[in-house]
Amino acid sequence: MRTLTKDIGTKEGETVELFGWVDTRRDHGKLIFIDLRDMTGIVQVVFTPGDKELHAEAERLRPEWVVKITGSVARRPKGMENEKVANGLHEVTATVLQVITEAKTPPFDLGGDGREINEEVRMKYRYLDLRRPRMRNNLRMRANVNAFIREFLGSRGFTEIETPYISKSTPEGARDYLVPSRVYPGKFYALPQSPQQYKQLLMVAGLERYFQIVRCFRDEDTRGDRQPEFTQLDIEMSFTNQDEVMGLVEELMTQLVKKLYPEKHLSQTPFPRMSYKEAMERYNSDKPDIRKDKNDPNELAFLFVVDFPAFEWKETEKRWDAVHHPFTQPRVKDVEDFKAQFKNNPGAILADQYDLVLNGYEIAGGSIRIHNPALLQEVFEAMGNKHEEVLAKFGHMLEAFEYGVPPHGGIAPGLDRLMSILQNEPNIREVIAFPKTGDGRDLMMDAPSEVSEAQLKELHLKTEKNNGTKGI
Ligand code: ASP
């Protein structure tokens, strides 16, 4: 039966079977030592010269070979112990060695934290890069955070619900990724920029408390540390208000940090709240970094920014657009009041919108939603959509709201950014198993890539031939 390296300390005097990778090999004259690595850690294995065949086989071992080793667990000789590392008091004296697979020399060192290695090479060989303890730890902690979230929200009556990935465009202000339909020539699905409409429709459905750890897709030009697909913790609640949504997220973050990151401290509790106006005036930013000591990697400065303007002028499109998204409730009494205020000064209308900022990054955005279909229609039209366009694009929402819609609102923390801050990582690619480059390529899979003529034909698509310059 297999023993994991983490359990070696409890097996003194016993014979164990170990499976894993050769992490390092050291020849000390007659003795050969290897560090054997499995998913739980490392153990030192020693090959003595007594068994010549075994010793000769051990001499062949190279880093990253996959092996099975049978041996007996013993205390290390006096003076050879190392209190500082796991299994530092024990070693396994090998009696049988089986090489399961050999390995080429990896293209880069897997031992260190890897930050000095060219990132493109790390991404091309991501399956090797993920072997380093730092990366493995990032993924483990991410899984722990997900598990914590599920437990936290589950125990508060939230239902985790999956929503479709191939769907219809939902407006979050970015370009959609489109998926051509084979069955309906000339028609396309869009990958959701967020499950915004579905989660609101789940409120109409009476679920009242929804969450989902969900992928969102936005086809944006490279801007800093973004990914074409990223993960949100998407939350929606009925019969709620701004304070309740913010309070829930504050409690979630506080307890998460306390349980999983006890070495970190929150600079201020309750999380301070600042109006958008004040943030812009004092910090010239809607995501101010209010850490007391910016050199302290363990300081977490959460801040809610509230009282956002509902609309901003889009000069390129010559129209007013929603600052958050069009479903956000503007602070107006009713449709007439909205019309009057919008006519008078659109930029002065505030919204029930809130962002959660952490150490200068926007890590969540949310709002109370418009649940009056007439107001929603009016807002869409104010943003430059024609009456018929609104019906074509959002008729399903307007119709749904005719069937008894509860007041509702929600928020969506971005988990990649949150994880990168919690793990003290400089960019979100370090906390994503298979990230894309800044310009949207998957170097390991070589995506995007060309597809066959037959595939295009089936999808009723023609592409302009690539003439050797960038793009098609
Ligand atoms: N759908 C919004 C977003 O992706 C979040 C929300 O309003 O709940 O930013």
Side-chain angles (χ1 to χ4, degrees), residues 135-166:
M135 297 303 283
R136 189 168 58 193
N137 184 46
N138 285 349
L139 296 183
R140 288 257 173 77
M141 287 309 292
R142 192 171 175 137
N144 293 345
V145 165
N146 285 356
F148 178 89
I149 289 170
R150 291 198 159 98
E151 163 64 27
F152 179 95
L153 291 175
S155 69
R156 281 163 183 76
F158 284 80
T159 309
E160 181 173 5
I161 303 172
E162 293 178 61
T163 54
Y165 279 159
I166 46 175

Side-chain angles (χ1 to χ4, degrees), residues 238-459:
S238 291
F239 308 107
T240 191
N241 55 48
Q242 185 163 313
D243 280 338
E244 189 184 30
V245 178
M246 292 197 295
L248 177 84
V249 173
E250 176 163 345
E251 198 192 341
L252 169 68
M253 293 297 166
T254 307
Q255 292 198 18
L256 187 156
V257 169
K258 198 166 150 203
K259 169 125 190 250
L260 296 176
Y261 293 90
E263 71 283 7
K264 299 205 180 270
H265 58 269
L266 306 175
S267 356
Q268 282 185 63
T269 48
F271 298 172
R273 295 178 185 191
M274 191 184 287
S275 72
Y276 171 82
K277 187 162 176 279
E278 184 185 346
M280 294 310 286
E281 279 169 10
R282 279 179 55 192
Y283 298 93
N284 194 26
S285 163
D286 60 0
K287 35 183 181 295
D289 186 350
I290 58 162
R291 272 177 295 178
K292 295 188 188 100
D293 175 4
K294 296 201 176 51
N295 296 317
D296 172 3
N298 285 334
E299 180 176 355
L300 297 174
F302 285 99
L303 164 76
F304 281 112
V305 178
V306 295
D307 301 338
F308 278 83
F311 305 101
E312 65 192 345
W313 178 249
K314 277 260 158 78
E315 185 51 38
T316 43
E317 298 166 35
K318 298 264 184 279
R319 66 177 184 95
W320 290 92
D321 197 10
V323 168
H324 188 48
H325 53 56
F327 304 104
T328 298
Q329 175 72 46
R331 293 212 181 121
V332 295
K333 283 200 273 312
D334 50 28
V335 180
E336 287 315 310
D337 184 33
F338 172 72
K339 279 191 190 160
Q341 286 204 45
F342 195 83
K343 202 166 162 209
N344 184 27
N345 188 355
I349 304 175
L350 296 184
D352 286 338
Q353 181 199 333
Y354 31 85
D355 277 1
L356 180 60
V357 173
L358 171 58
N359 295 1
Y361 290 96
E362 180 198 322
I363 60 152
S367 65
I368 299 301
R369 326 298 184 190
I370 301 172
H371 66 275
N372 174 351
L375 180 59
L376 186 56
Q377 170 92 28
E378 206 56 53
V379 167
F380 276 123
E381 288 182 29
M383 288 173 20
N385 297 285
K386 296 214 176 62
H387 189 78
E388 309 72 52
E389 279 169 5
V390 178
L391 292 183
K393 281 198 226 154
F394 302 107
H396 55 283
M397 293 291 281
L398 299 169
E399 188 182 10
F401 285 7
E402 305 281 357
Y403 286 99
V405 56
H408 57 284
I411 192 161
L415 290 182
D416 307 299
R417 173 62 61 203
L418 176 67
M419 285 312 303
S420 76
I421 297 172
L422 292 174
Q423 291 295 111
N424 304 325
E425 289 290 359
N427 71 58
I428 63 173
R429 296 186 292 279
E430 302 293 318
V431 296
I432 298 173
F434 299 106
K436 305 215 170 25
T437 56
D439 55 1
R441 288 170 301 143
D442 180 331
L443 298 174
M444 188 183 68
M445 304 288 281
D446 188 23
S449 59
E450 279 164 15
V451 297
S452 70
E453 278 300 324
Q455 279 173 299
L456 288 175
K457 199 160 180 244
E458 217 171 27
L459 293 170

